[in-house]
Amino acid sequence: MSDPIVMMKQEVGKAAAARVKSDSIVGLGTGSTTAYAIQYIGERLQSGELKNIVGVTTSFQAEVLARKYNIPLSTLDVVDRIDIAIDGADEVDPQKNLIKGGGAAHTQEKIVDSLAEQFIVVVDGGKLVDKLGSTFLLPVEVIPKAVVPVMRKLEQLGGKPELRMGVKKAGPVVTDQGNLVIDVKFDSIDDPATLEKTINNIPGVLENGLFVGVTDVVLVGEIIDNKPVVREI
């Protein structure tokens, strides 16, 4: 018996991959659901159903997967546009604003996803929230020398900051850019757009995980009567 949650992630990934058209430049996101989208884009290329696709990845993880499934890759200094980007999220609010960065890749993700003509978010129903910050901490990528002053500033903004520590690694998590991640608990993020700008203006902050006004489509996977169902928001 297949795990219904795995099947649901596969279905959402497939639904997103199905929206990719030939002759397009595709932003390839990070995370478990997006991994299935990358797999299915690769399979559509192999079968000849898709032609002339170029991927732009948001992390080492996405790059490794894209190579595994033989998706040709390029970089942002070469491509002149991104037609469609597919990525996951840790939280999605009713306005389609996001918190991302559970995988510590949110800086590259924001660059790629913001450039895309169409940005598709793939999530399971558990990621939908009424208000951002209610279930997930807000990741803030910081240059290593600035960790302490940035944490002080985040406390002044009402947050409870904590340096993200590695799992199966001694010491903190290091991003693909060689920086550190501070996870911040806010009791309530009432104005995500202002908070995103305010945090990014703190010296030493590279980028934070609030994605405001970037998402075009959200594909939500849910399990109904033990069957995976995908709906669009």
Side-chain angles (χ1 to χ4, degrees), residues 92-98 121 211-218 233:
V92 182
D93 78 3
Q95 286 74 46
K96 295 193 278 216
N97 296 321
L98 318 174
V121 173
F211 283 50
V212 178
V214 184
T215 310
D216 297 302
V217 173
V218 182
I233 301 179

Side-chain angles (χ1 to χ4, degrees), residues 5-224:
I5 290 177
V6 170
M7 280 171 61
M8 173 190 74
K9 288 186 171 193
Q10 288 171 330
E11 288 302 314
V12 180
K14 206 178 268 185
R19 296 183 179 226
V20 175
K21 298 183 173 79
S22 290
D23 307 310
S24 58
I25 299 170
V26 187
L28 302 172
T30 309
S32 56
T33 309
T34 315
Y36 289 116
I38 294 174
Q39 177 186 334
Y40 290 120
I41 291 167
E43 288 176 5
R44 289 184 67 201
L45 270 172
Q46 290 308 104
S47 70
E49 186 190 328
L50 268 184
K51 288 184 179 62
N52 193 21
I53 292 294
V54 175
V56 175
T57 60
T58 58
S59 63
F60 290 141
Q61 185 221 20
E63 194 173 321
V64 168
L65 281 169
R67 291 193 194 289
K68 178 178 172 184
Y69 295 111
N70 299 313
I71 299 172
L73 294 179
S74 187
T75 56
L76 290 174
D77 44 11
V78 179
V79 302
D80 59 355
R81 64 179 202 282
I82 293 175
D83 298 299
I84 185 170
I86 300 168
D87 213 340
D90 299 300
E91 282 189 345
V92 182
D93 78 3
Q95 286 74 46
K96 295 193 278 216
N97 296 321
L98 318 174
I99 285 184
K100 288 175 57 51
H106 57 278
T107 299
Q108 286 187 51
E109 289 170 343
K110 197 179 280 193
I111 295 166
V112 170
D113 298 343
S114 302
L115 284 171
E117 284 292 303
Q118 188 185 41
F119 173 35
I120 297 179
V121 173
V122 289
V123 289
D124 59 78
K127 305 284 171 69
L128 303 179
V129 295
D130 292 332
K131 205 181 244 189
L132 292 180
S134 40
T135 61
F136 206 83
L137 304 176
L138 176 63
V140 179
E141 181 165 349
V142 183
I143 62 170
K145 280 186 163 55
V147 167
V148 173
V150 168
M151 283 175 113
R152 281 197 202 111
K153 275 282 198 300
L154 290 165
E155 281 173 354
Q156 287 166 13
L157 292 174
K160 295 185 190 65
E162 224 172 76
L163 187 61
R164 187 182 300 181
M165 301 311 276
V167 177
K168 298 187 180 174
K169 169 196 179 292
V173 167
V174 179
T175 68
D176 287 358
Q177 288 75 244
N179 297 309
L180 304 179
V181 177
I182 297 171
D183 287 312
V184 193
K185 171 69 183 146
F186 286 99
D187 289 332
S188 172
I189 298 177
D190 297 317
D191 183 352
T194 302
L195 187 62
E196 180 183 20
K197 291 188 184 79
T198 304
I199 292 176
N200 278 358
N201 275 333
I202 300 172
V205 169
L206 184 60
E207 189 53 85
N208 70 80
L210 285 166
F211 283 50
V212 178
V214 184
T215 310
D216 297 302
V217 173
V218 182
L219 296 177
V220 185
E222 286 165 322
I223 296 167
I224 297 168

